[in-house]
Amino acid sequence: MPAPIPAAATAPLELAIVLPTLNERDNIAPLIERIEAALGTGGWEVLVVDDNSSDGTAEEARQLSLTDPRLRVIQRIGRRGLASAAIEGFCATAAPYVAVMDADHQHDPALLRPMLASVKAGEAEVAVASRFAEGASTAEWNRPDREKLSSIANRLARRLTGVDLSDPMSGYFLLPTATARRLVPNLSGIGFKILLDLLATANPPLTVKDFPMNFSARRSGESKLDRAIAFDFLAGLYDKSFGRIIPTRFALFATVGVLGVVVHMAILYACLLAFGATFAWGQAAATFGAMSFNFWLNNWLTYRDSRLESAAALLKGWVSFIVACSIGAFANVAVATTLHDYGVHTLPAALVGIAIGSVWNYALSSRFVWGRF
Ligand code: GDD
Ligand code: MN
């Protein structure tokens, strides 16, 4: 006779818990235990969405799931971001409700049960665990700098979404999976602020209920968001306001390009005035310098989610960037000269050349320098 199927395996799946991870290897197993303590043995699953962590988080999760099928792993290669990881989770589960939480134990799984009960009972469409609601605490966190940043960001966010909630940047929330999936096609998916993204996209607005939480210190490893957080937030605001007209990444690329012009001029004048170089040599050095500067800054900022890190990748990227930009420069000069020959004034002809050159550089480099093809 076959062995009886344990109750856990037969309880219908109700809740998926999405854990976005980046180097959280030692946090997974203890977190599963805490989730089980909070929710009981069945009716839930955990989706670890790992962005190819170098500490072997995905491997560790796969090991655990060999004996615990409630745990599944999605390992993403060449992609980055907390928000897009959460989206991946929404689309990969059959559970009717989905929660997103940090894998580092800063979020207490004990809140999952009341949050689920509240959404199921229709008290609100989204349950949000809040660090700043009445009764919450962040004492163990002990990061006054981050708290201050959060309070500024929260004020902006409330204005943007029109939803009055105390912690729109929270990384811990729960909602019906169908609601999340319905919004996915219109989410920006950039950076970390997935809850804000959902709330700003929903029309009519979603109803929200706050759950005060005690935000603890992280259990092991280090925060990945400290440095990126302010930048991601601004990029997200831009994306929601103008992103449809000029895509965020292109806007960044173009801004870097403008800074490149400044660098170009600085090098050119330095060569001419300080080193007595001829104009041709100065211009050549400045072009090379500006291209290298642009490569570095784009790698650091525009493509921070697929940043080239190893020396070999950097060298290859730098050379391909210079090749790509040379083609762009050629297109730029060709178009501008043609227009000029047809009697278009100098300034508009030059600007059209620059615009065409930049779009071309952007298209080539996003594909051949930072993309996979
Ligand atoms: N897959 C994936 N990809 N996971 C990521 C990435 C990423 O690019 N970046 C961070 N994570 C994971 C971490 O491994 C962790 O499980 C969770 O997302 C939160 O990251 P932390 O690095 O622990 O963030 P934090 O503690 O500094 O930030 C807290 O405050 C933010 C708002 O101020 C968290 O609670 C965030 O969720 C919250 O948005
Ligand atoms: Mn954390």
Side-chain angles (χ1 to χ4, degrees), residues 298-321:
N298 275 318
N299 191 44
W300 192 70
L301 204 65
T302 316
Y303 295 98
R304 68 201 180 292
D305 51 351
S306 37
R307 193 175 290 162
L308 308 171
E309 313 246 12
S310 74
L314 279 169
L315 184 67
K316 193 163 159 255
W318 178 57
V319 172
S320 357
F321 186 77

Side-chain angles (χ1 to χ4, degrees), residues 20-24 49-51 76 80-82 85 101-104 106-107 131 141 146 150 169-172 192 215 218 222-226 229:
T21 58
L22 204 57
N23 298 331
E24 305 286 1
V49 185
D50 182 65
D51 286 349
R76 308 195 303 170
R80 271 295 281 282
L82 178 51
M101 69 191 280
D102 293 1
D104 61 358
Q106 288 193 280
H107 295 150
R131 291 166 290 185
W141 193 25
R146 284 282 299 268
S150 287
M169 288 320 133
S170 174
Y172 188 11
F192 68 93
F215 195 63
R218 119 188 307 279
E222 58 185 40
S223 165
K224 285 87 202 173
L225 298 183
D226 275 350
I229 218 152

Side-chain angles (χ1 to χ4, degrees), residues 154-180:
N154 287 348
R155 243 172 293 152
L156 268 166
R158 273 193 288 270
R159 188 159 305 169
L160 184 76
T161 57
V163 179
D164 191 31
L165 77 171
S166 57
D167 191 359
M169 288 320 133
S170 174
Y172 188 11
F173 56 92
L174 183 152
L175 76 170
T177 322
T179 307

